[in-house]
Amino acid sequence: MAAKTTPRLPARDRLLASADELFYAHGVNAVGIDRVIEHAGVAKASLYSAFGSKDELIRAYLLGRHTTWAARITEALEARYDTPRERLLGVFDVLGELFAEPSFRGCAFTNASAEAEPGSSVEEVAGEFRGWLHALFGELAGEAGATDPEQLARRLVLLYDGASTTAQMDHDPTVAADARAVAEMLVDGAVPAKGRSSAGRRRSPGGGL
């Protein structure tokens, strides 16, 4: 009986997977098209047929990062936490799990933006991600009872950014716990005592990611 073979991924998927790995690890400018093509094992024509240009491949890479991270955050918060306050703080728990991964190299959007030319697609996609991040914290802050959800969201995004940069530069995933502790103080200062929900119980990670 002949052994079963695993179907090979379409060229577009292989290109995107290679771009995701190489761009994140080495930077969008340092990695050339030829390197992505060789890594993916496809013909050069396949790249231009699927994406049209390197700029569009970078756009697709960042959009994929956004989609994956948004889904990971959303699923974890819904599965693990019982109260709005704990979901708000739980963002930093999920962030800590990301920091602990061996492949962590910082925020993909920060890294790509540092290399981007003004007006590039990187700025556009990074802007969409930043809008989502602010909206996420703003919505969670509102649900937690903050008197000024937008202000609390700005402060938590600042903390999120600082934790990400520190974890990358110092190679220390434990900074997420410190960021969570500071976030807790910010949340308690922004939510009136009478409006605070009980801390609730954190659910088992088994139902999460």
Side-chain angles (χ1 to χ4, degrees):
M1 182 176 180
K4 292 183 178 180
T5 58
T6 302
R8 202 175 189 194
L9 289 174
R12 187 184 190 283
D13 294 343
R14 281 183 279 149
L15 283 164
L16 194 52
S18 294
D20 184 81
E21 178 182 338
L22 295 172
F23 287 159
Y24 183 64
H26 305 290
V28 296
N29 286 345
V31 176
I33 286 294
D34 289 341
R35 187 173 178 186
V36 176
I37 291 169
E38 180 181 5
H39 190 278
V42 302
K44 180 173 288 190
S46 296
L47 185 142
Y48 292 105
S49 174
F51 298 101
S53 66
K54 180 182 178 181
D55 193 53
E56 287 304 307
L57 178 60
I58 294 171
R59 178 197 293 272
Y61 149 66
L62 291 173
L63 286 173
R65 284 269 162 175
H66 181 172
T67 299
T68 299
W69 182 236
R72 180 171 175 175
I73 286 281
T74 301
E75 291 169 9
L77 298 186
E78 290 178 353
R80 302 181 191 179
Y81 304 96
D82 295 319
T83 69
R85 179 179 182 277
E86 282 301 299
R87 284 191 285 275
L88 183 56
L89 297 174
V91 173
F92 294 93
D93 294 331
V94 186
L95 201 59
E97 294 167 3
L98 177 68
F99 294 168
E101 294 176 358
S103 61
F104 177 70
R105 297 292 184 275
C107 173
F109 298 91
T110 300
N111 295 343
S113 294
E115 301 182 62
E117 295 292 334
S120 70
S121 62
V122 170
E123 285 194 340
E124 177 187 342
V125 180
E128 292 174 4
F129 173 77
R130 298 297 291 178
W132 168 82
L133 186 62
H134 280 272
L136 171 69
F137 275 117
E139 181 178 349
L140 292 172
E143 292 173 356
T147 53
D148 189 340
E150 184 177 344
Q151 181 186 70
L152 178 58
R154 287 198 304 270
R155 292 173 177 176
L156 292 175
V157 169
L158 183 65
L159 188 57
Y160 174 107
D161 291 339
S164 298
T165 300
T166 301
Q168 177 188 15
M169 298 296 291
D170 295 348
H171 307 288
D172 182 7
T174 67
V175 299
D178 295 325
R180 191 190 198 280
V182 176
E184 189 167 10
M185 290 188 286
L186 289 173
V187 171
D188 287 345
V191 178
K194 65 179 181 179
R196 293 177 193 165
S197 302
S198 60
R201 297 183 302 277
R202 181 175 177 179
R203 301 178 193 169
S204 167
L209 300 176

